[in-house]
Amino acid sequence: MNTEHDRVDVRGVVSFVAIAYVPAWLLTLPLWLTGEGLSWNWAPLILVIMMFMPAVAALVVNKWISPRPKLLRSLGITNPGGIKKWWPYVLIAWLGPPLVMALALLVGYLLGVYQADWTGFSGLAEQTGPTVVGSAPQTPPGMIALIQIAMVFGLGWLQIIPALGEELGWRGYLTQALLPLGQSGVFLTTGVLWGLWHVPVLILGYNYPTLPIVVAVIMMVCFCTLVGTLLGWLRLVSRSVWPPTIAHGFLNAAAGLGTVFSMAGHPVDNGSVGLLGWTGWIVLVLLILVLVMLGKLPVQFPAEMVGITRGVNRRSRR
């Protein structure tokens, strides 16, 4: 892994950004040309393919533009020590995002911007109930809520596949490539680039459909910077791309929890509710501060120093 004493590979980083951005943005053209935007039948597939463009960019840069030895290790697909070194972080990556999302909803509720029905699940029943007026729902709202929550913790593993497409790029390649900027510089730069990468779909109403475009872009950049700091921490502390990939997948899976606990007649506003909203950022900032206070951030990773003879290494902490 690069240290903060290396130089940034400008050619590689610029090439990565160009390859990650241009094909992804071009993929959104059909959404515009059809005039249907995100409601187009093929839009979900377009968005999934778009998520793989950062991975394509990382592979192209590492293989042909700025070749590096040990391609898989440089991207964090493999790492020194193997799975034994990063599997303890899987629990954080799996359970952390849904719990953090629940905390974000609680903060929104306490601040009065999220109208919740914690036990009646009336908002969920409103969305999933029968359309015939006066007819009784076939499944109790509590059972529907339980199924939805179980799907977050279970089927969320399927979200890891598209999440890997993004994480191989933003955390697998870019986080490592920008380490000479210092870890705070890495998290800020990666967060801004990751957020701006979403611009074409944000204009179409993705994530923040009720907000002006400029405000939506600013909020997405803030969200990506805060979440990207935590994902970047997982990448550096585990020296693997898999924990942040798992966490990213479960972040996506937990996005619907706001609807599960909402109150009927009060649609969820992503601008103020959940991790996408400003009340959720309070939770993310607190988590980052906790890592700093515990001495876990910035990450102190070991560096190898060559000994007098081949095969003799001394290890120190940076």
Side-chain angles (χ1 to χ4, degrees):
M1 180 172 291
N2 287 353
T3 71
E4 297 177 16
H5 300 289
D6 297 331
R7 295 181 180 179
V8 173
D9 175 15
V10 176
R11 182 179 68 172
V13 169
V14 171
S15 299
F16 166 80
V17 172
I19 299 171
Y21 269 60
V22 175
W25 286 19
L26 290 176
L27 279 170
T28 65
L29 283 178
L31 305 180
W32 296 88
L33 296 177
T34 61
E36 298 184 37
L38 297 175
S39 63
W40 188 41
N41 290 336
W42 292 96
L45 178 60
I46 292 293
L47 294 178
V48 170
I49 297 175
M50 182 179 175
M51 293 178 69
F52 281 95
M53 292 304 102
V56 172
L59 292 171
V60 169
V61 169
N62 276 269
K63 184 67 175 178
W64 291 289
I65 298 176
S66 293
R68 300 193 61 186
K70 299 181 179 179
L71 173 63
L72 297 182
R73 178 163 295 186
S74 68
L75 294 177
I77 297 175
T78 63
N79 64 294
I83 192 174
K84 294 186 298 182
K85 294 295 184 180
W86 59 260
W87 75 262
Y89 297 100
V90 171
L91 193 62
I92 297 175
W94 174 30
L95 301 180
L99 294 178
V100 172
M101 180 63 173
L103 283 175
L105 296 177
L106 179 59
V107 171
Y109 173 73
L110 294 175
L111 294 178
V113 299
Y114 177 56
Q115 305 302 315
D117 186 356
W118 299 109
T119 57
F121 311 107
S122 58
L124 181 63
E126 183 180 54
Q127 291 203 15
T128 60
T131 57
V132 180
V133 177
S135 62
Q138 297 180 352
T139 306
M143 181 60 67
I144 298 176
L146 183 61
I147 293 172
Q148 293 283 343
I149 294 171
M151 289 177 64
V152 169
F153 287 98
L155 296 182
W157 289 99
L158 296 178
Q159 294 279 0
I160 294 173
I161 299 173
L164 180 62
E166 289 197 48
E167 290 305 310
L168 273 179
W170 305 120
R171 253 60 60 181
Y173 169 76
L174 194 59
T175 293
Q176 176 183 349
L178 294 178
L179 271 178
L181 300 178
Q183 292 182 31
S184 57
V186 169
F187 301 144
L188 178 60
T189 305
T190 304
V192 171
L193 290 173
W194 186 24
L196 293 177
W197 178 78
H198 293 84
V199 164
V201 290
L202 290 173
I203 296 175
L204 292 170
Y206 184 73
N207 280 340
Y208 300 104
T210 63
L211 298 180
I213 294 172
V214 174
V215 176
V217 172
I218 293 173
M219 293 198 69
M220 193 65 185
V221 168
C222 292
F223 166 74
C224 287
T225 300
L226 293 173
V227 168
T229 298
L230 296 171
L231 295 178
W233 171 75
L234 279 174
R235 165 69 169 107
L236 295 179
V237 76
S238 67
R239 304 186 71 180
S240 170
V241 76
W242 294 108
T245 296
I246 294 169
H248 189 156
F250 279 93
L251 277 170
N252 292 343
L257 288 179
T259 300
V260 172
F261 296 106
S262 65
M263 181 180 291
H266 297 274
V268 177
D269 179 11
N270 286 343
S272 56
V273 174
L275 294 177
L276 286 169
W278 63 268
T279 55
W281 299 352
I282 296 174
V283 177
L284 296 175
V285 169
L286 289 175
L287 287 175
I288 293 170
L289 290 177
V290 167
L291 289 176
V292 172
M293 293 174 63
L294 293 176
K296 302 297 183 180
L297 194 67
V299 175
Q300 303 294 322
F301 46 84
E304 293 187 355
M305 299 181 64
V306 179
I308 298 174
T309 60
R310 179 177 299 180
V312 179
N313 293 329
R314 294 178 297 171
R315 301 182 69 84
S316 63
R317 306 290 299 185
R318 291 191 186 273

